[in-house]
Amino acid sequence: DEDDTAPDENAPIRLAVAGRPNVGKSTLINTWLGEERLIAFDMPGTTRDAIHVPFGRGGQHFELIDTAGLRRKGKVFEAIEKFSVVKTLQAIADANVVVLMVDAAEGVSDQDAHIAGYILDSGRAVVIAINKWDSIDSYQRQMLERSIEQRLAFLKFAPVLHISALKRQGLGPLWKAIADAHASATCKMPTPVLTRLLHDAVEHQQPKRAGAFRPKLRYAHQGGQNPPIIVIHGNSLEHISAAYQRYLEGRFREHFKLTGTPLRIEFK
């Protein structure tokens, strides 16, 4: 019952850079590459298509995907704009890891939350990069951190990095966060370990009884990677509460040190 579709360890990590128009996505990739490989103007919507750029760093191969900036639907009226939004969503779906760029000066908008929601729905590993961090004062930084906690609460597992793409600040920690997120997303979880963790979790806190039924959790195995899926087998599992599912997720995350990736739990 083990998952046979493990990713090719020698394949390049597909890394998409996503966010609103004019947030600095092309600037970040240009900075990584050390040359003006992508056009970056101050005019929003410069990048019309998703561009794939091979890139090597520290012996690891990447495929960088620079996406067209997503606009609010009301502003998407040209056919070419509609096409670029489709390409952006496709780039996110095709990526292994997504860097979600947020403009520090503008804060977390509805649109940032929509993009984050799409990344989560796609099951992609994600790192949040707050660009232009050096351009705001301490009060603005406090307000921004509060808005991240509130508006991107569903991405609690994602690390938040403060960078300046233009000034090349914070890029080392960003690369480490990307590597950690990819390692977590493709983590191998042996069945005996998962089952032991499941039994330990139940021993520590049993699921609540639902009428005459108390769910019985018997064993667990890995059902997929990128995102990691854990399949739990047992009886009366339809009565497992959302709170108990979050409790189990926390136990699995803690043991495997998962960061930057969604974790899906399925009951059978």
Side-chain angles (χ1 to χ4, degrees), residues 79-96:
I80 194 164
E81 285 281 303
K82 287 182 181 173
F83 181 70
S84 73
V85 169
V86 170
K87 295 293 278 185
T88 296
L89 300 181
Q90 187 64 53
I92 289 170
D94 289 346
N96 302 120

Side-chain angles (χ1 to χ4, degrees), residues 11-28:
I13 297 171
R14 293 188 305 278
L15 177 61
V17 182
R20 287 181 289 150
N22 211 30
V23 76
K25 299 181 296 296
S26 297
T27 303
L28 177 64

Side-chain angles (χ1 to χ4, degrees), residues 192-204:
V193 176
L194 285 174
T195 300
R196 176 174 59 76
L197 288 170
L198 178 68
H199 291 165
D200 288 350
V202 172
E203 197 175 314
H204 186 261

Side-chain angles (χ1 to χ4, degrees), residues 7-51:
D8 178 2
E9 289 178 8
N10 297 317
I13 297 171
R14 293 188 305 278
L15 177 61
V17 182
R20 287 181 289 150
N22 211 30
V23 76
K25 299 181 296 296
S26 297
T27 303
L28 177 64
I29 291 185
N30 284 336
T31 302
W32 279 343
L33 295 171
E35 55 180 298
E36 294 295 315
R37 286 282 290 277
L38 304 176
I39 302 165
F41 296 129
D42 283 339
M43 193 177 79
T46 305
T47 311
R48 289 293 190 184
D49 203 348
I51 303 166

